[in-house]
Amino acid sequence: MTSAVQICKLALGHLGDSADITSIAPPDGSVQAAQCAVFYPMARDSLLTMQDWSFATKRVELSLSANDPPDGWSFAYNLPADCLRPQVLLNDGADRDEDAQPFVIEGQTIYTHVENAWLRYTFAQVDAIRFPPLFVLALSRLLASMLAGPLIRGSEGRTLAKEHLALAVKIDIPTAAASDKNSQNNCRYADFVPESIGARA
């Protein structure tokens, strides 16, 4: 069962640090836990905003804002508080990306022409149990790049930071994103054979 602490330990392991941290919220008193408490949320949310991850996606009906829409827009809605990355805005009942409607975001307000609008978006998924293994690996690598400087001073820390960031960006993140995309496509387009028909084969 994956936890934030386990991901932090994996990140530390990438740096050759064997510290056995037990908590980052609050930190357990070690230097490593204190640094993980600072950088883990940043690394997690940064990675979540890079892709429309299936495990961090939700769809909600938007609530009308008290703000008046500016000229050129018909409706004003509140941006969901946990929204990290808007994906598509849809009419009520629409489901496909092809049905996406134009919108702009200013502060915490969404402006659009759509009445009864719905938003599909990436939310701040903080439950590490929901993270797939390849996302965990990518997150640990990105976190390692952030921890290298504070934990390993001087040129060695800077070098390790660059190396792990390069590995995250070039290998781990694209691999995790491709895997997540494939899982979405498989679920969406998998052939369904009713049991009654399958029994005749």
Side-chain angles (χ1 to χ4, degrees), residues 115-200:
E115 187 175 10
N116 301 321
W118 288 69
L119 184 70
R120 190 172 76 227
Y121 65 94
T122 302
F123 68 96
Q125 173 63 272
V126 299
D127 187 355
I129 295 175
R130 303 295 181 185
F131 298 161
L134 289 175
F135 182 89
V136 169
L137 179 59
L139 177 53
S140 70
R141 186 77 67 183
L142 183 61
L143 179 57
S145 74
M146 295 180 177
L147 293 173
L151 293 179
I152 305 172
R153 301 294 182 179
S155 60
E156 183 183 0
R158 291 192 295 272
T159 298
L160 283 173
K162 292 178 181 178
E163 290 178 352
H164 285 291
L165 181 59
L167 287 171
V169 171
K170 295 179 181 179
I171 300 176
D172 295 322
I173 296 174
T175 300
S179 176
D180 187 70
K181 189 70 174 179
N182 288 338
S183 69
Q184 293 182 57
N185 290 337
N186 289 338
C187 290
R188 188 175 303 169
Y189 300 113
D191 293 331
F192 172 69
V193 179
E195 184 178 351
S196 58
I197 295 177
R200 300 174 191 169

Side-chain angles (χ1 to χ4, degrees), residues 52-66:
D52 296 341
W53 305 100
S54 60
F55 59 88
T57 294
K58 66 168 64 171
R59 183 197 311 259
V60 300
E61 184 175 10
L62 296 174
S63 61
L64 286 170
S65 170

